[in-house]
Amino acid sequence: MSALMDQARTLDAADPISGARELFDLPEGVVYLDGNSLGALPKATRKQLAQVVDAEWGRDLIRSWNTADWIGMPQRIGGKIAPLIGAHANEVIACDSVSVNLSKLIGAALAMRPGRTVVLSEPGNFPTDLYMVQGSSAEQRLAARDKIIEALDEDVALLMLTHVHYKTGEMFDMVALTKAAHDAGALVLWDLSHSGGAVPVDLNGAGADLAVGCGYKYLNGGPGAPAYAFVAKRHHEALQNPISGWMGHAAPFAFSDEYAPAPGVSRLLAGTPPVLAMAALECGVELMADIGMGPLVAKSRALSEFFRAAMSEHCPELVCVSPVDPAARGSQLSYRHEEAYALCQALIARGVIGDFRDPDILRFGFAPVYVRFEDGALAVEALAEILASGEWEREEFRQRAAVT
Ligand SMILES: *Cc1c(COP(=O)(O)O)cnc(C)c1O
């Protein structure tokens, strides 16, 4: 056994949450470093979906809206996400996609800051975040990371940032930027898609106004899982949802002709919750909430530091573009290489699944709940062999699929 593998196994043996991997169904022979794009399948999800399909839908039919409390899922699951992001249970709701929640909260923020028309963000933010501003009535302003604070003026209604950058893993100082936005009279919206379940987040500690986050990444909610939205309690009264659907009505089953918003964060709902998808999300969220962020964060940092050290020793030709301080990055490491796409494909052919982000980034995510130090060692050893052998140069590793 290599010295690297030896070290990895010692670290796994001392890992207090190593047992959590057993809660997942992971295929044999696969090193999965892409939980930041699609979380793995919890064993409980398979059982729970069978129960929801067979007993709740199949047998109890429409009665399940009440008997299985399908109708309460958005609030119930939101309440379970809340402690992972430093929010109160009644400030978070699970619904829609991140994109749709962004659209609702951008609209709501503009209405709360009359006379201000600008949404400030950074170039290179996750595309859907920018597209949602472009499709709104707001004017978009982009400022590079180190120029954001000076770009906050009396026209800015909303500062909208992604807390952990999807490509580089860089993490914003939530406290400092939230304060700067407030000092300029703006609201702030944090996209927690790469943060929730991966890094410490304290929305209320930072005084954040609004947030959204993803259900299918670190929360292991399943492909296309519903997302979540946060609204600080102090804004509940004023919040107007521009997608004013019946599920966000104060009394949906009164079937009134006039819209009247539900109290609290429930008014962010629009249509009927996708019950099967919500059931899967709930299993993923419960699993993470049971472990709690403390051990997950400690493991994430140890794991990524182990990987970073191994990469600089065994694959020095790849340039790490993520912050070297683990407290300043998400649960991922990104490397730049001209042939990142082909390297990624060659790794996948060996059962090591990371991902590629255009044009030249090879990205490895460390979902702390199921990734082992051994996985890190296997990935670095595979990559070192691929680089040494030149096997990535094969034609098949250059074909691009629809999803990269
Ligand atoms: C994954 C991700 C999304 C996903 O948006 P969907 O509408 O749920 O597809 C949005 N923002 C960021 C920053 C992401 O990483």
Side-chain angles (χ1 to χ4, degrees), residues 124-375:
N125 192 355
F126 192 83
T128 207
D129 298 57
L130 301 181
Y131 301 163
M132 284 298 157
V133 177
Q134 290 163 29
S136 78
S137 61
E139 190 187 322
Q140 178 169 268
R141 181 184 297 169
L142 301 178
R145 296 200 149 213
D146 54 342
K147 301 274 190 292
I148 288 172
I149 292 181
E150 57 197 78
L152 280 162
D153 62 20
E154 64 285 354
D155 294 327
V156 178
L158 179 68
L159 173 62
M160 182 195 77
L161 295 171
T162 298
H163 180 227
V164 170
H165 197 274
Y166 74 101
K167 216 186 255 189
T168 63
E170 286 167 279
M171 185 154 70
F172 277 115
D173 181 339
M174 185 181 282
V175 172
L177 281 150
T178 299
K179 180 168 186 315
H182 289 170
D183 287 348
L187 295 167
V188 64
L189 192 174
W190 290 102
D191 186 335
L192 303 176
S193 292
H194 286 275
S195 307
V199 301
V201 178
D202 187 1
L203 287 170
N204 282 327
D209 301 294
L210 307 166
V212 297
C214 186
Y216 54 79
K217 291 169 181 157
Y218 292 102
L219 296 184
N220 307 304
Y228 57 92
F230 158 89
V231 179
K233 181 127 190 5
R234 63 184 177 280
H235 295 306
H236 285 186
E237 271 299 295
L239 187 85
Q240 290 175 36
N241 180 358
I243 308 184
S244 45
W246 75 307
M247 282 290 149
H249 191 279
F253 294 94
F255 294 100
S256 150
D257 284 354
E258 298 303 321
Y259 179 75
V265 77
S266 296
R267 70 184 57 179
L268 275 186
L269 294 179
T272 306
V275 170
L276 301 181
M278 295 290 271
L281 174 64
E282 188 162 22
C283 292
V285 168
E286 270 178 5
L287 189 160
M288 299 294 278
D290 283 350
I291 299 172
M293 285 313 298
L296 291 165
V297 169
K299 167 90 177 278
S300 152
R301 290 181 179 169
L303 201 52
S304 64
E305 277 304 271
F306 168 76
F307 188 88
R308 200 171 63 80
M311 282 290 284
S312 44
E313 186 180 342
H314 299 279
C315 306
E317 55 270 67
L318 274 89
V319 182
C320 184
V321 298
S322 303
V324 293
D325 173 6
R329 63 175 185 243
S331 198
Q332 69 177 75
L333 286 168
S334 300
Y335 291 86
R336 179 162 285 142
H337 191 285
E338 291 198 296
E339 297 293 346
Y341 183 81
L343 288 173
C344 183
Q345 295 307 307
L347 275 170
I348 291 172
R350 283 169 170 257
V352 177
I353 304 181
D355 66 18
F356 162 78
R357 284 293 173 266
D358 217 36
D360 56 1
I361 298 289
L362 188 53
R363 191 173 70 152
F364 299 102
F366 306 96
V369 65
Y370 51 77
V371 174
R372 301 164 299 183
F373 291 90
E374 177 172 337
D375 294 315

Side-chain angles (χ1 to χ4, degrees), residues 7 37 42 60 70 110 113 144 149 199 219-220 242 259 261 286 380:
Q7 192 194 351
S37 264
D60 297 342
W70 285 351
L110 289 168
R113 284 293 177 274
I149 292 181
V199 301
L219 296 184
N220 307 304
Y259 179 75
E286 270 178 5
V380 172

